[in-house]
Amino acid sequence: MVTPLFSITPPTYTSLPSESLRLLWNDEFDAPTGTPPDPAKWGYDLGGKGWGNQEYQYYTDAPENAAQDGNRNLVITARETSEQERDRLGRWYGPARYSSARLLTQGKFSFTHGVVEARIRVPYGPGIWPALWMLGEDFGPVLWPHCGEIDIMENIGREPDIVHGTIHGPGYCGGDGIGGPLALPQGQALTDDFHLFAIEWLAGQIRRA
């Protein structure tokens, strides 16, 4: 039986029968303003090594870059660093002009097959690339792309109305990943409001919900 992951209210969009739905994991970010993400649920990637994408920012675990806002939101902030921060943080190709946060559940939670959803309001602007994605639990011992990757949502800053969903694996990774874009109706932008991004991950099939 499939045991999906879903939020407090079971999703109505899923093709799975309601009797198979069971909550496995959730975070409603309902802590007071300034509270970091729950360390029992979230960890951080740290550093400014470019992460295979020539990223300018240095990822930190500081509340200035990731904290709850008191309104049931986790706010991830990309910010320009001070001169003192740049000298302290460094970066793989020079001083760290920007800092941000990169959160993950690695070592804290994993599952196979189910429904995954997140309610997100994305930022906007050149150089911004917010994403929600999953890597295989064996990432580390088995390097990418052999561990597999499911990109639930990626938004490129220069494309304010388009979201991308892609899967990667050996022989179909990077620009050869399997997936495609989804565009909002003309005149709408993802940054205008919160949107629910979700997939059904079933045996032999991944559906964009």
Side-chain angles (χ1 to χ4, degrees), residues 33-200:
T33 302
T35 303
D38 184 349
K41 297 179 177 180
W42 298 99
Y44 299 84
D45 276 331
L46 302 174
K49 60 184 181 182
W51 303 97
N53 301 312
Q54 298 184 333
E55 298 174 30
Y56 279 18
Q57 65 268 36
Y58 190 104
Y59 290 113
T60 83
D61 57 1
E64 292 83 4
N65 291 121
Q68 299 175 67
D69 69 353
N71 293 309
R72 301 174 69 89
N73 299 307
L74 173 66
V75 180
I76 299 175
T77 304
R79 49 184 293 272
E80 190 168 7
T81 58
S82 66
E83 291 290 344
Q84 292 81 3
E85 287 177 303
R86 294 173 193 177
D87 292 338
R88 175 173 58 84
L89 296 175
R91 193 174 27 140
W92 70 287
Y93 46 78
R97 293 183 55 197
Y98 306 96
S99 66
S100 188
R102 179 175 165 125
L103 282 81
L104 66 162
T105 60
Q106 185 179 16
K108 299 177 183 292
F109 172 76
S110 65
F111 73 106
T112 301
H113 301 152
V115 178
V116 186
E117 66 174 32
R119 183 173 172 268
I120 301 172
R121 184 172 185 176
V122 302
Y124 170 72
I128 298 294
W129 198 313
L132 172 67
W133 79 99
M134 302 186 293
L135 294 176
E137 189 177 15
D138 56 357
F139 175 69
V142 178
L143 298 179
W144 187 91
H146 296 279
C147 64
E149 177 179 341
I150 302 174
D151 295 326
I152 301 171
M153 180 281 293
E154 287 186 284
N155 171 245
I156 305 170
R158 66 177 181 270
E159 299 176 344
D161 59 342
I162 297 175
V163 63
H164 297 265
T166 315
I167 59 172
H168 303 274
Y172 54 98
C173 61
D176 295 322
I178 301 171
L182 179 67
L184 292 176
Q186 187 173 9
Q188 296 185 26
L190 290 163
T191 194
D192 291 341
D193 204 347
F194 283 90
H195 295 270
L196 186 67
F197 301 100
I199 63 163
E200 284 185 352

